[in-house]
Amino acid sequence: MKHILLLNGPNLNMLGTRQPELYGSDTLSDVEREFTALAAELGFDAVCKQSNYEGQLVEWIQEARETAAAIVLNPAAYTHTSVAILDALNMFDGPVAEVHISDIYKREEFRHHSYVSLRADLTIAGKGVEGYAIALRDVVGRL
Ligand code: DQA
């Protein structure tokens, strides 16, 4: 059976210490543990990956075409710059949810635009790390 892929982009390995006033105090391990537990409750295996490199994220999205039923991703800064990640997502057939811990629409103007939103079936921003659970429930509901 295909798994649910959780992808986190650059600097999200620093969650917990990175600007906690914006991103909270949970670490990436906390996020991945809770995501995996909720996925199991919903009847799915989760595979959780993080990279600071755009090409690595692109390669994981390409591989997901064969291995993942759905993708939940926080592309972090690549949200606002990466046509390559958008193109990779456009080759993926299953549901895609975009998560932002902070409310990108209430921050600097350059964060208001998301390439990934052009493909994502839903975008969640500003709900803190709870956004990952909301996204997971949503994509599972679409399967
Ligand atoms: C982020 C928002 C992005 O603008 C930023 O570059 C990040 C994290 C968020 O989760 O709120 O790295 O995606």
Side-chain angles (χ1 to χ4, degrees):
M1 196 171 104
K2 290 183 170 180
H3 56 250
I4 311 291
L5 178 62
L6 172 63
L7 283 185
N8 278 290
N11 298 306
L12 291 168
N13 55 314
M14 303 302 286
L15 272 184
T17 49
R18 174 191 183 194
Q19 294 179 281
E21 68 287 359
L22 274 178
Y23 298 114
S25 56
D26 284 4
T27 65
L28 183 61
S29 300
D30 295 333
V31 167
E32 292 180 340
R33 195 179 50 248
E34 281 165 29
F35 190 91
T36 302
L38 178 59
E41 258 176 56
L42 298 172
F44 286 87
D45 287 334
V47 171
C48 304
K49 298 180 174 184
Q50 186 277 333
S51 180
N52 294 324
Y53 298 93
E54 184 177 18
Q56 177 65 83
L57 294 163
V58 166
E59 287 187 2
W60 284 335
I61 294 166
Q62 290 177 1
E63 284 168 23
R65 300 172 71 216
E66 303 298 327
T67 57
I71 300 175
V72 173
L73 85 161
N74 184 344
Y78 292 137
T79 305
H80 319 295
T81 62
S82 182
V83 177
I85 289 176
L86 171 64
D87 286 350
L89 290 170
N90 277 332
M91 288 188 281
F92 180 77
D93 286 333
V96 172
E98 173 186 7
V99 176
H100 302 287
I101 298 166
S102 66
D103 189 346
I104 54 173
Y105 308 107
K106 291 193 176 145
R107 297 180 61 192
E108 303 96 320
E109 208 175 319
F110 68 85
R111 295 185 203 272
H112 297 185
H113 177 260
S114 164
Y115 285 103
V116 169
S117 291
L118 296 170
R119 164 62 180 89
D121 296 293
L122 89 154
T123 298
I124 294 164
K127 302 272 185 219
V129 294
E130 180 60 20
Y132 291 100
I134 298 168
L136 175 55
R137 287 185 191 280
D138 186 280
V139 293
V140 166
R142 290 170 194 267
L143 290 172

